[in-house]
Amino acid sequence: MNQKKSKKLKLVIASSNAGKIIEFRKLLDDFPLEIIGQPKDFYVEENGKTFAENARIKAIAVAKETGHLSLSDDSGLCVDSLDGRPGVFSSRYANSDKERISRLLGEMENILARSAYFCAALCLASPFQEILLEVEGQCKGLITNSPRGNKGFGYDPIFEVVGSGLTFAEMGSDEKQARSHRGKAFALLKPGIEKLLNSQFFLSSL
Ligand code: IMP
């Protein structure tokens, strides 16, 4: 095994969503961290009422389970004309991305007001289950009438980003990162991670 790599501090991404893990690996690329996914088959009940509450629940549960630093993301799509649905139920709206998209488009069939936003709450927890950092980012857009594009994951093909004319699924990963709820939340989190990794006090407490 690569000696240098094995000495890196481990950071567990508290998610089993492959799309999110790919995005986080890219976002955390500059840091001397070994990014790993949460244990296979690990399940946490997301019973919070807000994205921030769910992010906290997941980060703490995964830190407790693994004994490592844990970064969670709770995110979802909120449609204004549906009173914010699917919101915190975004991943549970149906059984697959395709069915979730089809349910949402069905519910919006006769609705002209298509404004929506994505929200991402990020939470970093210490191996001792303390909350170290919490941030939130949003991205405004419109729900399209039909799916467009084949990149990304989740609701990407039906979310057209305001001012871009493109859905997330039509954008390259760099453009999505620059505009997305997760990219914006991460930009807020980054200085905090830098500060922690430069703190001898923090590092020696691990
Ligand atoms: P959770 O945060 O893992 O509970 O689930 C969030 C759900 O929201 C995902 O399963 C997706 O359906 C949706 N979602 C969150 N972020 C994105 C995104 O960047 N693109 C598309 N769908 C997203």
Side-chain angles (χ1 to χ4, degrees):
M1 191 194 282
N2 178 331
Q3 190 68 16
K4 234 175 165 183
K5 217 173 175 186
S6 68
K7 282 193 177 154
K8 281 183 180 174
L9 193 60
K10 286 189 171 67
L11 174 72
V12 187
I13 304 297
S15 176
S16 48
N17 180 323
K20 281 188 190 177
I21 295 173
I22 291 170
E23 288 191 10
F24 274 117
R25 272 192 201 284
K26 197 170 157 66
L27 288 164
L28 291 159
D29 204 32
D30 293 343
F31 291 106
L33 293 167
E34 185 184 343
I35 308 301
I36 51 181
Q38 71 180 31
K40 228 172 154 245
D41 300 327
F42 182 69
Y43 171 77
V44 189
E45 192 183 354
E46 297 177 24
N47 52 12
K49 288 191 177 63
T50 62
F51 295 113
E53 263 184 68
N54 279 337
R56 226 172 281 150
I57 291 168
K58 288 191 267 190
I60 289 178
V62 170
K64 188 172 182 188
E65 173 74 13
T66 62
H68 297 304
L69 275 175
S70 161
L71 177 63
S72 69
D73 153 302
D74 197 67
S75 49
L77 179 61
C78 304
V79 180
D80 296 324
S81 56
L82 299 180
D83 296 324
R85 289 198 316 274
V88 290
F89 299 103
S90 292
S91 62
R92 292 165 271 175
Y93 220 43
N95 290 329
S96 66
D97 280 345
K98 210 174 154 197
E99 289 168 287
R100 286 186 272 272
I101 285 179
S102 136
R103 174 171 175 192
L104 189 60
L105 289 183
E107 286 177 339
M108 295 197 66
E109 207 166 52
N110 297 313
I111 298 180
L112 294 177
R114 319 256 333 159
S115 62
Y117 65 95
F118 265 115
C119 181
L122 306 185
C123 177
L124 182 73
S126 79
F128 315 106
Q129 301 131 58
E130 301 149 329
I131 303 295
L132 298 170
L133 301 167
E134 285 182 293
V135 293
E136 217 169 290
Q138 293 191 354
C139 175
K140 289 189 175 168
L142 297 170
I143 302 301
T144 57
N145 291 316
S146 55
R148 294 193 335 242
N150 52 17
K151 300 184 185 123
F153 68 96
Y155 298 91
D156 279 350
I158 57 164
F159 185 82
E160 183 181 305
V161 181
V162 158
S164 77
L166 298 175
T167 67
F168 271 155
E170 293 173 313
M171 285 179 186
S173 59
D174 287 345
E175 189 174 0
K176 179 176 177 190
Q177 188 175 310
R179 293 176 177 271
S180 80
H181 45 309
R182 206 163 3 267
K184 287 178 189 163
F186 188 77
L188 296 172
L189 192 79
K190 201 173 171 187
I193 297 184
E194 270 162 7
K195 213 167 159 188
L196 285 172
L197 294 179
N198 284 324
S199 158
Q200 279 315 316
F201 177 72
F202 170 70
L203 294 174
S204 63
S205 73
L206 297 176

